Amino acid sequence: MSKMYKSSGELVNHWYAAGQSKAFKKGKPQSVVIFEKPLVIWRMKDGSLTVMLDRCNHRNAPLSEGKVLNDCLICPYHGWTYNKEGKCIEIPSEGPNVDRIPNKKVESFPLKEAYGLVWVWMGKDKSPTSAPFEMPVMKELGWHSYYMETKFSNTVTDLVENFMDVPHTVFVHKGWFRDRKQICIKAKVERTADSVLVSYDQPNDSIGFSGWLVNPKELPMKHTDNFYMPNITRVDYIFGGNERGFIITSTCTPVSPYETMVYTLISYKFGWLTPIAKLGLSAYTRKVINQDVWIMDVHGKNIQRFDETDYHSTQCDFMHLYIESLREYATNADEKSIPEPTVKEIEFWV
Ligand code: FES
Ligand SMILES: [Fe+2]
């Protein structure tokens, strides 16, 4: 079992995005790594998907290099053939002697397709206790959305903190998302049993890509940043009641300790400009995310260079401390005390 999987405690008992639905084509096995566990996913004739460990029971060749025939996966090495339950149904070198097939299945996992993503339940001892995270406003009138896929060289904890972090925007995204004006922002930060919810009091603030597109009427802005255990952030900028808006939902999939795949759903409602906003918006969001890829890369490398963290925090880091407390408790419940529900009022300058 992979070291990361073993040391992740309760964090594995959740749904993790393995990719966008459209990436999994019929007849083509696909390799995916989650918590350092190599998996193979393939699509049946009826469109359903199956996921199992990417390791043949015979001599452990990777099944993802094999072929799909009649909904079965055939190992590329000696042709052992597995059905979607991971049961070996044929060993070519044994001819008709099916009784000689070892009675051991390749381990498989629960899988669901929802909101344009393929989700794998990584829990071993627990069956799914919930549904995959509901991606926002996908079916709501006036909203459009698209996914971005980004590989980051940092941990899930540091990434979700980055996605919830306001002060970095005036440095890492200077001139692109927010410029430094030294305005004071007040916020309420709340920790529940499985989320960290931040609501900002900044009705007159503006973000990035110019007011004329996002908020031409200068409606008051409502900004919330929410983290949902163990790996999802949702950042909302809503203008007026629900007249216009921009929502960034990110789900993080740990590949290895310092490698994380992030699926970012960009949702937007910009009035009559919505249908044509995509082109400019996708270039813009790619530019901004790449700035985070860079800072997360150098940050992650530095943590590894020192082989430990020595963090010091101020008011605007409360949400980060709360995220860390929830994720650390899920990792080592025996060694940590349960994080109590808490609410804090904070203020900081950007
Ligand atoms: S290793 Fe898979 S059939 Fe031999
Ligand atoms: Fe950022």
Side-chain angles (χ1 to χ4, degrees):
M1 208 202 287
S2 84
K3 199 167 155 214
M4 185 187 192
Y5 188 88
K6 235 191 286 182
S7 61
S8 293
E10 279 293 311
L11 290 177
V12 302
N13 290 318
H14 289 273
W15 292 100
Y16 286 90
Q20 293 185 62
S21 276
K22 63 180 186 195
F24 300 91
K25 307 257 187 284
K26 278 183 196 165
K28 224 177 149 266
Q30 194 96 29
S31 102
V32 173
V33 179
I34 304 178
F35 285 108
E36 286 182 330
K37 231 185 218 301
L39 305 171
V40 55
I41 296 179
W42 81 95
R43 204 180 277 286
M44 309 291 137
K45 282 189 198 141
D46 67 2
S48 62
L49 287 165
T50 199
V51 54
M52 57 180 67
L53 223 49
D54 190 9
R55 182 173 66 179
C56 176
N57 271 345
H58 181 219
R59 284 295 173 270
N60 295 178
L63 293 167
S64 56
E65 295 290 327
K67 286 202 164 38
V68 177
L69 191 67
N70 296 328
D71 283 350
C72 287
L73 187 52
I74 305 176
C75 179
Y77 199 178
H78 314 92
W80 286 32
T81 300
Y82 298 90
N83 69 12
K84 65 175 181 185
E85 278 90 42
K87 185 173 154 34
C88 180
I89 53 156
E90 192 191 346
I91 297 178
S93 61
E94 294 299 329
N97 300 305
V98 284
D99 53 314
R100 295 186 194 162
I101 297 174
N103 182 24
K104 180 170 188 283
K105 282 185 180 174
V106 176
E107 187 187 353
S108 62
F109 298 81
L111 179 150
K112 267 196 167 64
E113 277 191 276
Y115 316 110
L117 295 176
V118 171
W119 305 80
V120 178
W121 177 264
M122 293 302 294
K124 206 172 147 66
D125 316 313
K126 276 195 192 160
S127 345
T129 46
S130 59
F133 183 80
E134 188 180 335
M135 291 291 177
V137 300
M138 278 187 130
K139 295 210 174 76
E140 274 181 41
L141 210 65
W143 287 87
H144 281 217
S145 59
Y146 60 91
Y147 277 108
M148 298 169 71
E149 270 184 51
T150 314
K151 190 163 198 172
F152 283 89
S153 304
N154 211 323
T155 64
V156 172
T157 303
D158 279 301
L159 289 176
V160 291
E161 290 185 17
N162 171 258
F163 304 154
M164 295 273 285
D165 183 289
V166 172
H168 87 283
T169 56
V170 296
F171 288 92
V172 175
H173 308 300
K174 186 173 184 305
W176 282 87
F177 192 78
R178 182 183 268 115
D179 282 324
R180 204 165 162 202
K181 296 189 221 112
Q182 286 289 285
I183 53 169
C184 179
I185 294 182
K186 290 188 178 10
K188 188 177 97 185
V189 186
E190 181 179 2
R191 177 176 63 197
T192 72
D194 56 4
S195 65
V196 177
L197 313 169
V198 189
S199 51
Y200 293 91
D201 181 15
Q202 50 180 150
N204 304 317
D205 192 13
S206 61
I207 51 161
F209 48 103
S210 64
W212 65 267
L213 172 62
V214 182
N215 189 17
K217 290 190 226 154
E218 297 188 4
L219 300 165
M221 176 170 96
K222 202 167 167 297
H223 173 197
T224 52
D225 287 356
N226 293 342
F227 162 75
Y228 301 98
M229 274 294 278
N231 63 334
I232 289 172
T233 59
R234 173 177 165 172
V235 172
D236 286 46
Y237 301 96
I238 303 294
F239 305 94
N242 188 19
E243 216 172 295
R244 282 163 179 263
F246 183 56
I247 306 177
I248 308 144
T249 314
S250 312
T251 176
C252 300
T253 303
V255 176
S256 66
Y258 281 91
E259 267 180 300
T260 305
M261 273 307 297
V262 178
Y263 301 91
T264 312
L265 181 70
I266 306 285
S267 316
Y268 53 101
K269 185 182 180 188
F270 295 155
W272 66 273
L273 279 164
T274 309
I276 52 167
K278 168 86 191 276
L279 207 65
L281 196 58
S282 57
Y284 171 80
T285 47
R286 179 42 70 203
K287 171 82 189 175
V288 171
I289 287 189
N290 283 351
Q291 293 170 334
D292 286 320
V293 168
W294 166 77
I295 191 66
M296 286 294 91
D297 177 57
V298 294
H299 171 267
K301 287 208 172 87
N302 219 33
I303 304 292
Q304 292 174 84
R305 202 151 65 134
F306 283 90
D307 202 25
E308 62 181 359
T309 56
D310 182 21
Y311 289 178
H312 297 86
S313 303
T314 67
Q315 285 211 6
C316 55
D317 297 305
F318 270 122
M319 55 284 249
H320 304 333
L321 298 176
Y322 290 168
I323 290 173
E324 284 161 30
S325 64
L326 290 177
R327 285 186 48 88
E328 279 168 15
Y329 180 71
T331 314
N332 307 302
D334 320 335
E335 293 164 30
K336 308 268 173 194
S337 47
I338 297 183
E340 298 290 338
T342 317
V343 181
K344 274 232 157 56
E345 306 278 344
I346 60 163
E347 63 173 25
F348 59 92
W349 281 259
V350 289

